[in-house]
Amino acid sequence: MGLLLDSFWRAAAYCLRPRVIALSIVPLVLMALLAMGLGYFYWDAAVQAMRGLLESSSVLTSLWSWLQGWGLGDVTAVVAPLMVVLAAAPLLVVVSLLAVAILMTPALVALVADRRFPDLERKKGGSFLASVAWSVSSTVLAFIALLVSVPLWLVPPLVLVLPPLIWGWLTYRVMVFDALAEHASKEERQTLLRRHRASLLGIGVLTGYLGAAPSIVWASGVVFAAAFFVLVPLAIWIYTLVFAFSSLWFIHYGLAALDQLRAETAAAQPPAATPMVPPAPDAAPAALEPVQPATGAAALPGPETLPPHGNPAA
């Protein structure tokens, strides 16, 4: 629980950093550039095609005639551009968010690692292709789980539990992989997923509920057509901030857990034994040399100096 709360407040604090805020504005810039480019080349043709489609329907034609009878003028001239924007907005949003997801996660990992874990070894246990394969496979499993669980949504409490649970599982699978791909090995990542599964799944579910907030703003933009061009970009920006917060939460938690795991592994290893140095081979014995009498020492009497037996000296 301590690691969970610590990573939560750190992620919230990092969202206030200018670099993170700048990254969250990237989708808005991309959306504006795409909209201007597509509008420059295809706006007139798209509006004319949409207007023809609206006027070709017999049901809608009676509706337009009824509205014109109330003095609203040419309604299709107003509705057609709005319908084009409504049709193109999801495509622009998806492209923008995919681009920022690819750009934001590595930048956030580098930001947290440089500031909190500069000495953490980078074992590069996940490549870009492995990340894509992991994300696609996890997404397919999540969609299968959603389809299987649809009949259970008719039970009132489960509709508020099952979708966030499934999306939370998908979020934690994808974001944990991206958070640890640069620093953890494959074995370390599997160990962390197994050891911290409950906490990581809880982060995914909570951030999944947070991701519902931009949907409310998005729906309001669709309902209140006059504020569409203000509310929809606002929804995209909020969603990007939620994405940044979720990614930062997983990054702080994952790297801190990885640092603890490596510390535990290092402490559990026995100390390295001092290598035994073999003794040097015995030196060859030195050649025997005649012992010279010490200088100044009394010389031992030789046989010629001893008195003969029986003739003691007087």
Side-chain angles (χ1 to χ4, degrees):
M1 183 60 69
L3 181 58
L4 189 66
L5 295 177
D6 179 77
S7 57
F8 171 82
W9 75 260
R10 288 182 183 274
Y14 270 61
C15 286
L16 302 177
R17 293 186 175 275
R19 184 177 178 183
V20 177
I21 295 176
L23 288 173
S24 67
I25 300 176
V26 172
L28 300 180
V29 177
L30 291 176
M31 184 177 178
L33 293 176
L34 287 174
M36 287 189 295
L38 293 175
Y40 180 79
F41 291 103
Y42 304 106
W43 176 256
D44 293 334
V47 170
Q48 292 298 327
M50 181 60 68
R51 186 169 183 177
L53 183 63
L54 294 175
E55 293 175 349
S56 63
S57 174
S58 58
V59 177
L60 293 177
T61 301
S62 60
L63 176 62
W64 308 141
S65 301
W66 179 75
L67 292 175
Q68 288 177 0
W70 284 85
L72 296 180
D74 191 0
V75 181
T76 56
V78 178
V79 176
L82 180 61
M83 296 299 295
V84 171
V85 173
L86 288 174
L91 176 62
L92 297 175
V93 171
V94 170
V95 173
S96 300
L97 290 178
L98 286 177
V100 76
I102 295 174
L103 297 174
M104 181 177 283
T105 302
L108 295 178
V109 171
L111 176 64
V112 175
D114 292 342
R115 294 186 63 88
R116 288 194 63 197
F117 307 98
D119 299 328
L120 193 62
E121 182 183 358
R122 300 171 184 257
K123 294 188 177 181
K124 301 183 183 297
S127 62
F128 176 76
L129 294 178
S131 176
V132 172
W134 181 270
S135 300
V136 171
S137 61
S138 300
T139 304
V140 171
L141 292 176
F143 274 115
I144 293 175
L146 283 174
L147 292 176
V148 172
S149 65
V150 165
L152 299 176
W153 295 7
L154 301 177
V155 183
L158 296 181
V159 72
L160 300 176
V161 175
L162 291 179
L165 187 63
I166 294 172
W167 288 119
W169 175 85
L170 175 62
T171 302
Y172 112 81
R173 291 264 298 182
V174 173
M175 288 196 172
V176 169
F177 188 97
D178 293 337
L180 298 175
E182 180 70 15
H183 292 80
S185 64
K186 182 179 179 180
E187 293 76 14
E188 290 174 335
R189 184 177 66 250
Q190 292 174 348
T191 301
L192 293 175
L193 286 174
R194 183 174 60 255
R195 179 182 297 183
H196 300 276
R197 179 175 286 110
S199 297
L200 294 172
L201 183 59
I203 296 175
V205 173
L206 290 175
T207 54
Y209 278 112
L210 289 177
S215 301
I216 299 174
V217 181
W218 175 274
S220 301
V222 175
V223 173
F224 302 103
F228 180 85
F229 294 97
V230 176
L231 293 178
V232 171
L234 178 62
I236 297 173
W237 184 63
I238 295 175
Y239 184 84
T240 309
L241 281 179
V242 171
F243 177 85
F245 171 76
S246 305
S247 183
L248 284 168
W249 197 355
F250 279 104
I251 292 169
H252 279 286
Y253 189 100
L255 294 183
L258 177 62
D259 190 47
Q260 291 181 2
L261 176 63
R262 290 183 179 175
E264 294 173 3
T265 304
Q269 291 179 351
T274 304
M276 299 297 295
V277 179
D282 295 334
L288 296 177
E289 297 180 357
V291 179
Q292 301 293 332
T295 307
L300 295 177
E304 65 281 358
T305 59
L306 293 177
H309 293 284
N311 295 316

